[in-house]
Amino acid sequence: MQNLSARFRRRERVIGYWSVLDAPVAVEWLSTVGYDYIAVDAQHGLLGYSGMLADLMAVDAGAQKTGTVGLVRVRANTPADIGVALDAGASGVIVPMINSAEEAKAAVASAMYPPFGERSFGPMRSRLRIGPEPAVANANVAVLVMIETARGLDHLPEIAAVPGISGLYVGPSDLALGLGASHPKDPAVADDFERALVQVRDVASEVGIAAVIHTPDGRTAHRRLAQGFTGVTIASDLTHLEAAARNHLTIASATE
Amino acid sequence: MQNLSARFRRRERVIGYWSVLDAPVAVEWLSTVGYDYIAVDAQHGLLGYSGMLADLMAVDAGAQKTGTVGLVRVRANTPADIGVALDAGASGVIVPMINSAEEAKAAVASAMYPPFGERSFGPMRSRLRIGPEPAVANANVAVLVMIETARGLDHLPEIAAVPGISGLYVGPSDLALGLGASHPKDPAVADDFERALVQVRDVASEVGIAAVIHTPDGRTAHRRLAQGFTGVTIASDLTHLEAAARNHLTIASATE
Amino acid sequence: MQNLSARFRRRERVIGYWSVLDAPVAVEWLSTVGYDYIAVDAQHGLLGYSGMLADLMAVDAGAQKTGTVGLVRVRANTPADIGVALDAGASGVIVPMINSAEEAKAAVASAMYPPFGERSFGPMRSRLRIGPEPAVANANVAVLVMIETARGLDHLPEIAAVPGISGLYVGPSDLALGLGASHPKDPAVADDFERALVQVRDVASEVGIAAVIHTPDGRTAHRRLAQGFTGVTIASDLTHLEAAARNHLTIASATE
Amino acid sequence: MQNLSARFRRRERVIGYWSVLDAPVAVEWLSTVGYDYIAVDAQHGLLGYSGMLADLMAVDAGAQKTGTVGLVRVRANTPADIGVALDAGASGVIVPMINSAEEAKAAVASAMYPPFGERSFGPMRSRLRIGPEPAVANANVAVLVMIETARGLDHLPEIAAVPGISGLYVGPSDLALGLGASHPKDPAVADDFERALVQVRDVASEVGIAAVIHTPDGRTAHRRLAQGFTGVTIASDLTHLEAAARNHLTIASATE
Amino acid sequence: MQNLSARFRRRERVIGYWSVLDAPVAVEWLSTVGYDYIAVDAQHGLLGYSGMLADLMAVDAGAQKTGTVGLVRVRANTPADIGVALDAGASGVIVPMINSAEEAKAAVASAMYPPFGERSFGPMRSRLRIGPEPAVANANVAVLVMIETARGLDHLPEIAAVPGISGLYVGPSDLALGLGASHPKDPAVADDFERALVQVRDVASEVGIAAVIHTPDGRTAHRRLAQGFTGVTIASDLTHLEAAARNHLTIASATE
Amino acid sequence: MQNLSARFRRRERVIGYWSVLDAPVAVEWLSTVGYDYIAVDAQHGLLGYSGMLADLMAVDAGAQKTGTVGLVRVRANTPADIGVALDAGASGVIVPMINSAEEAKAAVASAMYPPFGERSFGPMRSRLRIGPEPAVANANVAVLVMIETARGLDHLPEIAAVPGISGLYVGPSDLALGLGASHPKDPAVADDFERALVQVRDVASEVGIAAVIHTPDGRTAHRRLAQGFTGVTIASDLTHLEAAARNHLTIASATE
Ligand SMILES: [Mg+2]
Ligand SMILES: [Mg+2]
Ligand SMILES: [Mg+2]
Ligand SMILES: [Mg+2]
Ligand SMILES: [Mg+2]
Ligand SMILES: [Mg+2]
């Protein structure tokens, strides 16, 4: 099993996929494709605990040849949300809406055992993955903090400097709204948005941690990697499936 | 709600989509795309009763603007398999591996109430869709019999003539194997395979029922419609999702 | 735990309730009300194996003060359908669409261990209820065969005489259709229908087994008991819930 | 789809039903009855995330003719609880135990996107219902704050004045306990309780938002509407089902 | 049904078992064995709400002869986490990571109705078990606070003195880490660890509440009871099952 | 992934474990222990389709280091039951209650694609395991037929000679009952029972296929291997868990 946390911190190129579905059969297939990780979205995804757990097991079931691992975007930055995701076998967490170094520190504390953090010990499924020795688990767990608010952007350097963080993770939709957009693709904030991305990329580079960004497709992902991001997530199963079905229908029903 | 059965029997053009996943959230989205039906695969799909039911509810949840209805490809040609699919709210059934007129008659008998058939009365969810009056339900239920074996092909005219059948439905993979192929795409049987399709198309046309075929994508679907099939199903969510994820990864990780 | 099978065979008065929902929390509450049994409908109910099992566990969870036991109306008269219902902890089975003594014998054989029958041994949950000794299980399992077709009616005496049967169970909707009704309440067959009920009642009485009938409400149930039926089931949770909700809405929205 | 939020704010009469069960089949039927909304109880109801989601999908599946929409009474007043309910497709939230204007503001902030609130963007199922444009979603989401504590009662005017609130929602049981009752129906607090309801009704009227109250049946609901409440919820599926089953058993087993 | 809370407070000997699995069939069997309680682990266990609910129902289904009751180790010390566990039918809660009297008071407040606490009223399943009268429920609910951090150890007497607490509950793994261990069995802290247990035992004895400890097996449990602990939990189904399977394999594959 | 089918046919020693629980987390752990296979019991186990699928995925999730594969004991000897188990990813099937060569041939036909058999093509999860090429799948699928009735015993040589069978599989409980036992451990049939096992062992040896037997523990398994059986299954998770819990309770509550 790859050590994804170390790869983030070494700023290696990592490419992940994003699932919002409680659909373990689909996730298992996605895990055979060759992504470095599949992130299960417990914040905006359509899944609760049982979906998260089943999806994480499915990642492992499909990963025998690919080494793909599972991450979880947690519902909220609480010890309980982060703890259950890791106990369920996630190799790391993506923590939304980080506004300050204090919030980033709290995320790390929730993800790491004493003495480094305050994670409670009970490494059920995680025992099979990145543990159970506390020091080993602490070294192997990935903690990505999401930069997606104006306040988070204002405190980028302090956030990035929090010990234990594996990388910064840009949430483009919330970030655009946070910059004053009327909707995620609002051209009115396009320049500010791109400037913000450059900031994130540069701060991560200076601190020596990963700069990861959420993208809707392979083309955008490729562009962001070329731009200096070290990681990209391509999202999501639900939108890609809908696009495929729509496209097939258009072709099938074309009249000429 | 459209009367899909009548549309099949009137040989109108119908285009459906195919789901093999217990993933109601995805199915609901697919139901907003505009297909005439979404078929839930209880034979080879990765779902049991609860997945079938949840998917059928999801089709209805998404269909408020599209009028899409749910079909079920049943696990086997038994009164129980056909009855539970219809009771769960399917607008019709696709019955696999029909080898003879007797088997086709049994399928119809399982799908229709007396005096036309022997379906047991208990129209739970179906009450909300195509009933509960027995005569109304009988008139509205779609019964598609799959032609996918050498024996079925040998008895095409008798099968097609069975009263109550809405259409013939080609299962290409089994049909190819039935014609001697070593795998579903085996070029050795390509000519026999195409000849078989022409037979199905022509028999359906003569009898005045639908000729439907399973296809892997919109392009093939378009070609089959142009060839004289009155209906096509595009399959499947799982393979399309995998293809999309694979394609995005290739683009994202391209080196130049 | 009561021996419901013996009570049926002794022709004691038994009153059951009928659930078509995979809703164990509701079933547990129903089990505290005081019915002799709750029947889980695996034929027309909206539930598969997991719903059946959860509902049976819920009956037992609620029965600490009432002694209520769970029955299953099986999906079909097969060894597998009957076996899994009993293994899951049902105290007996209601077997639909019995047309002949042969079919009744098959139902008994599926429900009883050798040498009396051919049930396969693996009394998982049933071990906690009516076993696991084969002879004890055979003595305690209730087997009710449904009389709901014209053919079944024609063979009433032979069916009732099959050793091991606990009682006859009238399915009114199918029976009405079987008698030529255009819908279950069709007044055109009302007289024939009532005559059929008298037949069932009398044959059961002569043979000395239970005469049970499905009813929509307490009033009908009371009438059928007064008429000489020894058992009644009141059905169902779904229709009663809908009626209650509809009634409350009417009262709440009354304009005066 | 109706704009329930606007109807609350226009103080139109709205009548809802209350579900505490993870029983989507039942909820779908309830959604065909004609209520303005069905509220899924994630606080005291017997359901977790998957039950909430399935019930919300069931409301939409049943609403094709009625236009009924789903609300969620959230487990707690947190951004995560409110966010996941809305992302799952709820048309609004009922937020328990609001004690102050600060708590009410937090509820609104969790339910609305920037710049009005701080809801994180990821409108998965909600995209199909009341979005995905942030301004549209903000305009259409219903936010009902529960008045059910002594502290909440003490701060009624400030709470009602919080911008973005659609209405006040009385939780009678907690309110009675909060007023010193030894149990929810304690006659010792009956006068205080009724006075409190008048307060809620009058404050809502002055501010121009909905005054909604939880009721056990249609008769009470009718009385509360007559008294000047603009909305009522009739609760609940579980208690009504139990009452129906108990009533049928009493009638069936009556001896004369 | 036994009053487990009173037994804890009377310092009677109680022996419980620990489940981390969403496996109601297994839990029901465990409930027939004769333990005083089965604790469902919602913190580190592999289960979400639906697993917790199903396991609690399973405990009750199996308890007809044993009187075993269900407890829940809650995910976190919040009103919502404690409220849903009790509403789901738990006879009490085990609250992790209690560091101070304030945290202990918050736990009690979440578990008890006014005027003693602030639990919100909605005793769905709990109505069937330990209520629904608020005073009765308050008297019968068990509240065990976990001592498993250095801070908690430092405030033992204040924590133990909080009114409403049924007992102290030692979490050995976290406690060891909290004492500086590099892993839960680290011999470097063995003496400190044993001294801490003596402290917990003695403080509980002085205050007159239960002293309970988590143990891996019957032998350790027996030793802790002999040492003066009034209660023990033996953990867990998952580890015992693995040990059994491993042991059987070793024996089966032995070569001589 | 090991070719278990070939290992059976080569009469290598194989040792499996047996699960009757819908408990994927437990099954994943069992899959890390080192058994050659884990058999999921769809006949007497407490699981339906979704439990079978989840357990099979769990076997694969846990098998990264052990190579353990999943088998399914199917509910009945039908094309549908065998087909769905294999499509769901089982490496083979154990088919109960085989009474004759015809039944054995039917089992093989259901498990193999044309031209060798009649399995319908749709290798969803199985595509990831033992296919999807028909010839490859046919070569890799294990088909074990259960000898557990008097009739089966009477036709041992013909059954064993059916092409495509990987081995004979003794079901001891049913076999004992079939030999006239009053319960599975009835000493009255002990000699006949042992003679029957010798017959099975010898016929398998002559034909050159596996001789496998179900056993309750490692000690019995070891004895049967020593006696000449080539394979053993140790059963089951549920009984071993109960035994462990019972044993721990006895030790913990011992009074001296
Ligand atoms: Mg975001
Ligand atoms: Mg086919
Ligand atoms: Mg019937
Ligand atoms: Mg309340
Ligand atoms: Mg702990
Ligand atoms: Mg057997």
Side-chain angles (χ1 to χ4, degrees), chain A residues 252, chain B residues 7-8 10-15 37 144-145 147 153 156 167-172 175 193-205 209-215 220-233:
Chain B
R7 294 185 60 203
F8 277 127
R10 285 198 301 264
R11 294 176 51 80
E12 294 179 17
R13 191 190 76 170
V14 295
I15 304 179
Y37 61 85
L144 299 167
V145 292
I147 303 300
L153 210 55
L156 260 188
L168 305 176
Y169 189 108
V170 176
L175 183 56
F193 180 79
E194 290 297 328
R195 262 192 298 275
L197 298 200
V198 169
Q199 265 184 279
V200 172
R201 181 198 65 188
D202 291 349
V203 167
S205 169
I209 58 177
V212 192
I213 187 166
H214 209 71
T215 69
T220 310
H222 189 262
R223 182 159 58 86
R224 293 303 183 195
L225 288 170
Q227 185 187 357
F229 280 88
T230 66
V232 287
T233 312

Side-chain angles (χ1 to χ4, degrees), chain E residues 54-93:
Chain E
D55 282 353
L56 289 173
M57 292 185 70
V59 171
D60 292 339
Q64 299 202 1
K65 288 174 191 145
T66 57
T68 302
V69 299
L71 298 183
V72 171
R73 197 241 307 252
V74 295
R75 186 163 288 189
N77 184 12
T78 73
D81 282 285
I82 291 173
V84 298
L86 295 176
D87 287 352
S91 289
V93 286

Side-chain angles (χ1 to χ4, degrees), chain D residues 43-44 73 96-97 146 148 171-175, chain E residues 120-122:
Chain D
Q43 184 195 20
H44 293 301
R73 197 242 305 253
M97 291 282 181
M146 291 192 75
E148 51 179 348
S173 295
D174 275 320
L175 184 56
Chain E
S120 175
F121 193 82

Side-chain angles (χ1 to χ4, degrees), chain F residues 152-164:
Chain F
L153 211 54
D154 287 349
H155 299 91
L156 260 188
E158 308 96 278
I159 290 171
V162 169

Side-chain angles (χ1 to χ4, degrees), chain A residues 49-71:
Chain A
Y49 180 83
S50 55
M52 180 187 73
L53 175 64
D55 281 353
L56 288 172
M57 292 185 70
V59 170
D60 292 340
Q64 299 201 1
K65 287 172 192 148
T66 57
T68 302
V69 299
L71 299 182

Side-chain angles (χ1 to χ4, degrees), chain D residues 44-62:
Chain D
H44 293 301
L46 281 313
L47 44 86
Y49 180 84
S50 56
M52 179 188 74
L53 175 64
D55 281 352
L56 289 172
M57 292 185 70
V59 171
D60 291 340

